[in-house]
Amino acid sequence: NWHTRQLDYVLAFPQAPVEKELYLYIPKGFDMEGGDTKNFVLKVHRNIYGQKQAGRVWNKYLTNKLVKEVGFTQSDVDECVFYRGKTMYALYTDNSILAGPDVDEINEIISDMRKAKLDITEEGELEDFLGVNIDRKPDGTIHLTQPHLIDQILDDLRLNGDNVTTKKTPASSSRLLSRHSDSEPFDNSFNFRSVIGKLNYLEKSTRSDIAYITHQCARFTTAPKQEHAQALRWLGRYLRETRTKGTILRPVKGRDMEVYVDADFSGNWDPKETWDVDTARSRHGYIIMYAGCPILWKSQMQTEIALSSTESEYCGLSYALRDAIPI
């Protein structure tokens, strides 16, 4: 039930001054009166886009403004989270969210940010952030979905036709996805790496249900086989079936941090690939909840070789608590 305000910085990087004396060659296509462009350079006054350090320079400049001039306190746990009074401020490069129970305090903070000579625009209540649709329902639940990103994935996989069949599960429960060393290489009918990148963002943002198969496919990005491509197409058909689905946040007062963990024991063992040590690794998955809402989840292979299911479970607990404790 907090009020939200989405802010955007106008031409963010050039708002910061250049961090040291810099010059650049005059771009082709520009003429100089009475001189040759090869004998002159341009002096850089602002932190321009294209520099390797531009993002860092902008972040240091903005953090200094927010802390010393606007009165925010930076989180010790996450450098992109700030607090002032009852209001929280989350920053992602130049996209940001103000959230708090007092709308007057939010308006005052925005006014102070402008007084600090930060050029910002107000984008209204929080409805879409970094490609995630945020739908606040009358019953207090919050629905997070990414239908546009799913559409892009389906386009990449060529599964956007009207006659495409769909799947009810993210992957086949009866097939083990391994290296398939003896199989035919992937025919490059789509950009495997690009699809994996988009699936990773989708899974981490709103779709915990595809965490396992997404990570399994991502393991073989360097040398994908036809089986891996088939697994991605299966996943694409599932996403088509569940395009409008996502994560539902249903806050429950009084519920604190909860961590749920499960693990298998050498679940990827493949007698045909005994030379591959990864087939002996166990996999665990965990989900961290706060106030009854999922805030972090992961499915990953363990770096250690567990010698029993009990040891695998303990390793999974250890991995999960490393993420939970800093929160």
Side-chain angles (χ1 to χ4, degrees), residues 24-80:
L24 60 83
Y25 291 112
I26 297 177
K28 293 181 179 179
F30 285 82
D31 296 323
M32 287 192 60
E33 292 186 8
D36 188 349
T37 56
K38 295 181 179 179
N39 299 324
F40 292 86
V41 292
L42 297 177
K43 184 174 183 179
V44 180
H45 295 280
R46 310 299 295 181
N47 177 49
I48 58 175
Y49 288 91
Q51 302 177 99
K52 292 182 179 180
Q53 75 274 22
R56 181 61 177 163
V57 171
W58 157 246
N59 183 262
K60 290 176 68 175
Y61 169 80
L62 179 59
T63 299
N64 185 66
K65 285 274 188 181
L66 293 174
V67 173
K68 294 185 178 180
E69 298 186 35
V70 185
F72 276 105
T73 299
Q74 189 176 27
S75 168
D76 292 331
V77 177
D78 190 328
E79 291 186 2
C80 295

Side-chain angles (χ1 to χ4, degrees), residues 166-181:
T166 59
K167 298 289 185 180
K168 299 293 184 180
T169 59
S172 172
S173 60
S174 59
R175 297 179 188 173
L176 179 65
L177 199 64
S178 63
R179 292 190 183 275
H180 298 286
S181 303

Side-chain angles (χ1 to χ4, degrees), residues 202-212 247 287 294 297-299:
L202 176 66
E203 177 261 316
K204 291 299 180 193
S205 300
T206 62
R207 297 298 296 264
S208 56
D209 55 327
I210 66 171
Y212 168 76
T247 298
I287 185 166
W297 52 82
K298 188 175 290 185
S299 174

Side-chain angles (χ1 to χ4, degrees), residues 232-260:
L232 283 184
R233 291 192 179 97
W234 181 306
L235 178 54
R237 295 176 190 277
Y238 170 73
L239 291 175
R240 183 182 175 91
E241 174 73 16
T242 58
R243 176 182 176 275
T244 60
K245 305 297 182 182
T247 298
I248 298 177
L249 306 180
R250 188 175 287 109
V252 180
K253 289 184 178 180
R255 289 182 65 176
D256 208 333
M257 191 78 69
E258 298 168 291
V259 183
Y260 299 91

Side-chain angles (χ1 to χ4, degrees), residues 195-222:
V195 170
I196 288 295
K198 292 174 182 178
L199 285 170
N200 276 330
Y201 186 66
L202 176 66
E203 177 261 316
K204 291 299 180 193
S205 300
T206 62
R207 297 298 296 264
S208 56
D209 55 327
I210 66 171
Y212 168 76
I213 188 58
T214 297
H215 185 261
Q216 275 290 79
C217 291
R219 291 177 56 216
F220 309 108
T221 303
T222 54

Side-chain angles (χ1 to χ4, degrees), residues 99-118:
D102 188 345
V103 67
D104 292 331
E105 184 175 75
I106 292 176
N107 291 330
E108 182 181 354
I109 289 173
I110 294 174
S111 177
D112 290 344
M113 291 175 73
R114 290 197 169 110
K115 289 178 182 177
K117 296 183 179 179
L118 291 172

